């Protein structure tokens, strides 16, 4: 009966290969792997043919899924390799560490969107508040093996490990254990209380395993983080035999639920905030799969991907880049080229002075983005099971890479997918984001899809609303409607109709009608656009529900009644905000084209054209009334003359002009008649009057972009030519008449 310690670096492909070699040689009777022991019932699922790494063990507090923790495993993780080896050979295997029930009881409540907790898998655990002995940060504890690689002159830990294996062979784990023991002895006093608890729990589990195999014969192999190995030796097992149960007695626990969930390479990176994160999962996966010609095959993949992106990348460049990487490694005193050398060679040979090739390679090569999968038999909440069944029916696949899809809502498949995406967004799972729709009210939708691992936690959170997607989305929408304001209710009503949730839509419409009675004018204006789109296009997209037109009419009437007072004596910022709201509401009224609502709205626009209304809004409303043919040209000239009369202060005149011209001068750019009116008014000014209004004109017209100002100048020149051609010279005309008569023989 022998204990074999295999200290590794988490997610290290070199460690994984060494572990596999050691296990084949040792053939232990029992295998223990660092991880939460309450996840042991999930281990058989890791051998299932439907389980494809990367995956993660997910643990969360029962009925509080927002308090969760992940234990990720990649295909190149030593833990994954060891577990699969044991399961394939029928060797008993289990986890050893603090149970997730203890971890979740001790740690703050992390949100799933914050990613995996760093203490569960790696060298940089999230510590509780430091004691005096822990006050200073401990870089040695963070990643001791990486520091050893750097001391040996390697920036790429895995290439250092490969070089070490070549020189040490099977004795590598013993050498690592000796070095870790020396580091821990030098660093005594800096091991956190949490690590001491974890190691005490590990020793207890190891003792139990040794006791079991002692009855049947055989060895026990332990795969653990390198830092912990010196604390798990037979000597430490004996020395701490009495102290460990005392340390672990009375630790707080919470009721937990555990499952296995898909993970991504992107969430294994240091950039994701993961404590045991690695620089390039794609590189690590390549190292694990490739035993010969590592540099050549990596650069060949780089060239292939660049060619797929439309960039030049020849075989000759691959050869040059390989030679350059090897030369850089030699210059830097390294026996093997690592990721730094290969990246520098890629930059020099394929990219020159551009960073475009490296940016294109980032996700597909360096990260090697991929989403794992788990079998349907894995324990999951009913909502997750319903989603899986729905995806299978709709032939959709969860992927970690970005994917664009186009939906035709006239087809059942397209409509059902659209409703699924809207329902998931209602539940706070933005797997699909609407990226483009070719025109409001059309039958086409464009979506961008990308699945993130934390959505598994959000599914669990959303399951409190119901066990199916329809029921959960319906309940979530109703819950949101109870506390939403008027503008939110209007948007929510549109979402519920797009999601195919008639009950939630009916409830939201009822709440919208109730809240409208006490809402202020800006809130009423904000509520109009979504309602108009829904009333105009809801039936076109085959969505059932109550007609929102009566509510739209009510909201329009109330907004129209309060608009004149809301626009009175406003400061500039408030006037700009209200102008934008009026513009959106005006478009909504035009879109729906309801006679009753239009009549109420037009009355409000006329009421705005009065003394006391903010100048910006007065100019804006004159343009809108003229656009509706409710003001003739003479009336508009009169409004121009009154607003821009000499003696007015420049900011007031400029504000009126800004409103009349529209954002970016849109009124003048698209309405030659309005341009002619302004031109006529300017031409009619005498020199003194023109000098007084010139600053305001300059201020307003300066907000139009130079190309558009040039176009306005060309339009004005065209107006002048038309005016000139319209003028008749009667004397010249009579000469032509006389010549014509003589040609006809009529006489002079």
């Amino acid at each position: 009966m022998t204990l074999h310690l295999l200290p590794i670096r988490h997610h290290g492909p070199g460690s994984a290969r060494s572990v596999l070699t050691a296990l084949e040689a040792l053939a232990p009777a029992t295998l223990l792997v660092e991880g939460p022991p309450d996840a042991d019932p999930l281990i058989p699922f890791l051998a299932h043919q439907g389980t494809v790494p990367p995956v993660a063990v997910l643990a969360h507090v029962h009925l509080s899924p927002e308090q969760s923790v992940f234990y990720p495993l990649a295909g190149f993780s030593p833990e994954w390799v060891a577990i699969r080896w044991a399961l394939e050979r029928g060797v008993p295997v289990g986890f050893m560490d603090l149970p997730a029930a203890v971890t979740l009881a001790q740690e703050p409540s992390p949100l799933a969107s914050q990613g995996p907790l760093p203490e569960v898998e790696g060298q940089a655990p999230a510590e509780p508040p430091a004691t005096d002995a822990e006050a200073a940060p401990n870089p040695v504890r963070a990643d001791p093996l990486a520091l050893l690689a750097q001391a040996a002159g390697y920036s790429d830990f895995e290439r250092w490990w490969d070089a070490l294996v070549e020189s040490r062979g099977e004795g590598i784990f013993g050498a690592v254990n000796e070095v870790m023991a020396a580091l821990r002895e030098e660093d005594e006093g800096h091991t956190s209380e949490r690590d001491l608890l974890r190691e005490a729990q590990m020793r207890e589990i190891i003792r139990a395993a040794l006791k079991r195999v002692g009855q049947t014969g055989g060895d026990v192999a332990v795969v653990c983080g390198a830092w912990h190995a010196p604390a798990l030796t037979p000597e430490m097992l004996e020395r701490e035999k009495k102290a460990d149960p005392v340390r672990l007695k009375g630790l707080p626990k919470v009721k937990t639920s555990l499952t296995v969930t898909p993970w991504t390479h992107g969430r294994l990176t240091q950039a994701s905030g993961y404590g045991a994160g690695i620089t390039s999962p794609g590189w690590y996966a390549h190292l694990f799969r490739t035993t010969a010609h590592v540099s050549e095959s990596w650069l060949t993949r780089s060239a292939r991907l660049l060619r797929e992106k439309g960039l030049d990348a020849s075989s000759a460049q691959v050869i040059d880049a390989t030679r350059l990487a090897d030369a850089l490694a030699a210059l830097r005193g390294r026996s093997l080229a690592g990721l730094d050398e290969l990246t520098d060679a890629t930059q020099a040979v394929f990219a020159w002075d551009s960073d475009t090739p490296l940016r294109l390679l980032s996700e597909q090569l360096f990260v090697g983005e991929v989403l794992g999968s788990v079998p349907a038999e894995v324990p999951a909440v009913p909502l997750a099971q319903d989603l899986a069944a729905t995806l299978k029916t709709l032939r959709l696949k969860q992927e970690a890479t970005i994917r664009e899809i186009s939906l035709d809502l006239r087809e059942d498949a397209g409509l059902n997918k659209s409703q699924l995406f809207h329902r998931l967004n209602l539940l706070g799972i933005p797997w699909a984001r609407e990226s483009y729709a070719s025109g409001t009210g059309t039958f086409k939708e464009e979506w961008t899809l990308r699945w993130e691992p934390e959505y598994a936690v959000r599914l669990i959170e959303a399951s409190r609303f119901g066990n199916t997607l329809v029921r959960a989305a319906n309940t979530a929408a109703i819950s949101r409607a109870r506390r939403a304001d008027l503008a939110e209710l209007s948007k929510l009503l549109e979402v519920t109709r797009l999601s195919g949730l008639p009950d939630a839509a009916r409830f939201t419409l009822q709440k919208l009608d109730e809240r409208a009675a006490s809402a202020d004018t800006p809130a009423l204006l904000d509520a109009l656009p979504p309602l108009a789109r829904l009333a105009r296009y809801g039936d076109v997209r085959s969505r059932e529900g109550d007609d929102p037109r009566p509510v739209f009419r009510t909201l329009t009437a109330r907004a129209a009644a309060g608009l004149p007072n809301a626009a009175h004596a406003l400061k500039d910022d408030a006037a700009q905000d209200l102008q934008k709201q009026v513009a959106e509401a005006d478009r909504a009224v035009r879109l729906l084209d309801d006679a009753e609502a239009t009549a109420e709205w037009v009355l409000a626009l006329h009421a705005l054209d009065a003394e006391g209304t903010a100048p910006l809004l007065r100019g804006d409303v004159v343009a809108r009334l003229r656009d509706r043919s409710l003001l003739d040209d003479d009336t508009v000239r009169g409004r121009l003359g009154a607003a821009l009369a000499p003696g007015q202060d420049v900011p007031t005149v400029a504000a009126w002009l800004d409103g009349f011209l529209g954002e970016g001068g849109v009124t003048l750019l698209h309405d030659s008649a309005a341009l002619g009116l302004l031109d006529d008014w300017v031409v009619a000014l005498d020199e003194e009057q023109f000098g007084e209004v010139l600053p305001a004109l300059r201020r307003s017209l300066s907000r139009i972009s130079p190309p558009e100002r040039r176009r306005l100048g060309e339009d004005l020149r065209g107006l002048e030519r038309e005016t000139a051609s319209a003028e008749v010279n009667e004397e010249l005309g009579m000469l032509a008449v006389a010549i014509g008569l003589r040609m006809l023989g009529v006489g002079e």
Side-chain angles (χ1 to χ4, degrees), residues 16-170:
R17 286 198 302 270
S18 298
V19 164
L20 192 57
T21 301
L23 291 175
E24 288 288 354
L26 297 171
T30 295
L31 176 65
L32 296 176
V33 176
E34 185 177 325
D38 40 2
D40 282 353
L42 298 175
I43 288 178
F45 293 110
L46 300 180
H48 195 285
Q49 62 180 2
T51 303
V52 179
V55 296
V57 174
L58 163 62
H60 65 87
V61 177
H62 186 62
L63 300 180
S64 296
E66 69 278 2
Q67 296 179 280
S68 59
V69 62
F70 296 93
Y71 300 80
L73 295 168
F76 48 80
S77 299
E79 301 91 336
W80 171 265
V81 171
I83 291 171
R84 292 296 290 255
W85 178 90
L87 292 174
E88 289 169 2
R89 289 160 180 77
V91 175
V93 57
F95 287 120
M96 56 160 204
D97 203 333
L98 284 177
V102 174
T103 298
L104 288 168
Q106 292 181 338
E107 294 300 325
S109 303
L111 295 176
S113 59
Q114 295 174 329
L117 285 178
E119 82 277 359
V120 298
E121 185 70 29
Q123 298 78 17
E127 305 290 359
T131 63
D132 293 340
E134 302 166 355
N138 185 5
V140 176
R141 168 66 181 89
D143 196 347
L145 292 179
L147 288 178
L148 291 176
Q150 293 173 11
Y154 284 80
S155 61
D156 187 337
F157 164 83
E158 289 303 320
R159 302 309 266 161
W160 171 75
W161 183 277
D162 290 343
L164 196 64
V165 169
E166 289 180 7
S167 61
R168 292 276 184 167
E170 296 179 1

Side-chain angles (χ1 to χ4, degrees), residues 205-484:
I205 294 174
I206 292 172
R207 292 187 190 102
L210 288 171
K211 185 177 180 180
R212 285 195 302 272
V213 300
Q215 300 171 355
T216 58
D219 298 339
V220 174
V222 172
V223 178
C224 62
W227 182 260
H228 302 299
L232 307 179
T233 61
E235 294 77 15
M236 290 296 293
L237 291 176
E238 184 63 30
R239 195 181 87 179
E240 302 293 329
K241 186 175 183 179
K242 293 183 179 179
D244 286 343
V246 176
R247 283 194 186 100
L248 299 172
K249 185 178 180 180
L251 287 179
K253 295 182 180 181
V254 292
K255 186 178 180 181
T256 57
S257 299
L258 293 95
T259 186
V260 180
T261 186
W263 204 248
T264 67
H265 277 175
R267 296 306 298 272
L268 290 172
T269 60
Q270 293 169 343
S272 71
Y274 174 40
I278 52 182
T279 305
S280 173
W283 169 244
Y284 277 27
H286 176 76
L287 287 176
F288 184 68
R289 292 191 303 261
T290 310
T291 56
H293 307 294
V294 173
S295 298
E296 293 88 340
S297 55
W298 176 262
L299 292 168
T300 299
R301 287 180 60 203
S302 300
R304 186 182 302 116
L305 288 171
L306 289 175
R307 285 195 294 269
E308 290 175 0
K309 300 293 184 179
L311 299 179
D312 292 333
S314 65
S315 300
Q317 287 177 302
V318 173
I319 295 172
D320 290 343
T322 303
R323 290 173 176 169
L324 178 57
D326 291 340
L328 287 172
L331 286 172
R332 294 167 180 173
R334 299 163 186 171
S335 60
L336 297 170
L339 182 60
D340 285 350
E341 288 75 35
L342 291 170
T343 302
D344 291 343
T346 301
Q347 176 76 34
V349 175
F350 294 111
W352 291 92
D353 60 347
S354 171
D355 64 345
T356 300
L358 290 181
R359 284 192 288 105
L360 293 175
L361 293 173
S362 175
E363 181 172 311
Q364 288 184 266
L365 191 66
F366 294 115
V367 176
E369 191 61 285
V370 63
L371 178 69
S373 61
V374 296
E377 293 81 358
V378 169
V381 294
L383 183 62
Q385 296 173 356
D386 185 58
L387 174 61
T390 304
L391 295 181
K392 185 176 181 180
T393 301
L394 297 178
R395 297 182 179 179
L396 289 170
K397 185 179 180 182
Q398 296 166 329
E399 297 172 313
T401 53
I402 295 176
R403 180 187 172 201
E404 307 280 348
I405 67 170
S406 177
L407 302 180
D408 187 340
L409 303 181
R410 293 169 295 184
E411 300 175 354
D412 289 341
L415 184 60
N416 291 334
K417 289 175 183 177
S418 173
Q419 290 178 343
L420 169 65
F421 297 155
H422 283 294
R423 289 168 186 169
L424 288 174
N425 277 289
L426 254 178
L427 294 171
I429 305 170
W431 169 38
R433 300 177 187 270
E434 194 166 7
S435 53
Y436 173 74
S438 58
T440 307
T442 68
F443 296 105
K444 185 179 180 183
E445 286 181 352
E446 300 284 346
W447 293 84
T448 301
L449 277 61
R450 181 170 186 165
W451 185 264
E452 298 288 355
E454 61 264 28
Y455 296 162
V457 174
R458 297 192 186 183
L459 267 175
I460 298 172
E461 291 177 347
S463 64
R464 69 184 186 274
F465 293 117
N467 292 333
T468 66
L469 285 169
V470 173
R471 183 175 298 173
N474 196 73
T475 305
I478 290 174
S479 176
R480 190 184 302 179
R482 294 183 190 278
R483 58 182 186 276

